[in-house]
Amino acid sequence: MFGDMMGMMNKLKETQEKVEATKERLKTVLIDEQSSDGLLKVTITAAREIKNISVSQELMEDKEQLEDYLVLTLNKAITRATEINENELAAVAKDGMPDIPGLDMFK
């Protein structure tokens, strides 16, 4: 039984290291999103860090419209980044979980 417990602890530690490595990798995965008309473009990482915002001169003339574009486009980008982030981390966590009877959190 002690050997099984040590094996599980080692697997959990290994999984934690993989999760941390995945989090670091997600900081380098870039996601590009743009408004439907292409006047605003944003780039964020899968770790949800904004890397770039490109605004058409046309939008600079209307503050309220620019604000609306920013909110909508950033929210779309953040949603995509969150989906990628959660899927990647869930896959790593599921893959590394020890097989404990009755504990099927990721199934």
Side-chain angles (χ1 to χ4, degrees), residues 1-66:
M1 179 170 176
F2 184 70
D4 290 343
M5 186 64 117
M6 287 300 294
M8 283 192 295
M9 294 301 287
N10 287 337
K11 189 161 187 168
L12 286 173
K13 182 178 181 204
E14 188 178 301
T15 299
Q16 180 62 33
E17 290 169 357
K18 287 180 181 178
V19 166
E20 292 304 317
T22 300
K23 285 180 182 180
E24 286 300 312
R25 185 179 58 77
L26 288 171
K27 291 178 183 179
T28 66
V29 174
L30 298 178
I31 298 161
D32 294 315
E33 189 63 63
Q34 65 180 358
S35 60
S36 58
D37 56 10
L39 295 178
L40 179 78
K41 298 176 183 176
V42 299
T43 302
I44 68 171
T45 68
R48 296 173 294 254
E49 179 181 327
I50 298 169
K51 289 295 188 178
N52 187 48
I53 297 177
S54 175
V55 181
S56 166
Q57 188 60 40
E58 182 180 328
L59 284 177
M60 297 301 285
E61 298 166 10
D62 185 342
K63 178 182 181 289
E64 191 172 300
Q65 183 181 18
L66 174 57

Side-chain angles (χ1 to χ4, degrees), residues 38-100:
L39 295 178
L40 179 78
K41 298 176 183 176
V42 299
T43 302
I44 68 171
T45 68
R48 296 173 294 254
E49 179 181 327
I50 298 169
K51 289 295 188 178
N52 187 48
I53 297 177
S54 175
V55 181
S56 166
Q57 188 60 40
E58 182 180 328
L59 284 177
M60 297 301 285
E61 298 166 10
D62 185 342
K63 178 182 181 289
E64 191 172 300
Q65 183 181 18
L66 174 57
E67 290 170 346
D68 290 343
Y69 271 61
L70 282 167
V71 168
L72 292 172
T73 307
L74 284 169
N75 280 334
K76 283 191 334 187
I78 291 168
T79 297
R80 285 184 54 207
T82 299
E83 289 171 1
I84 291 169
N85 190 298
E86 289 175 355
N87 289 338
E88 292 282 329
L89 291 175
V92 170
K94 179 182 178 184
D95 208 29
M97 288 299 292
D99 193 19
I100 302 172

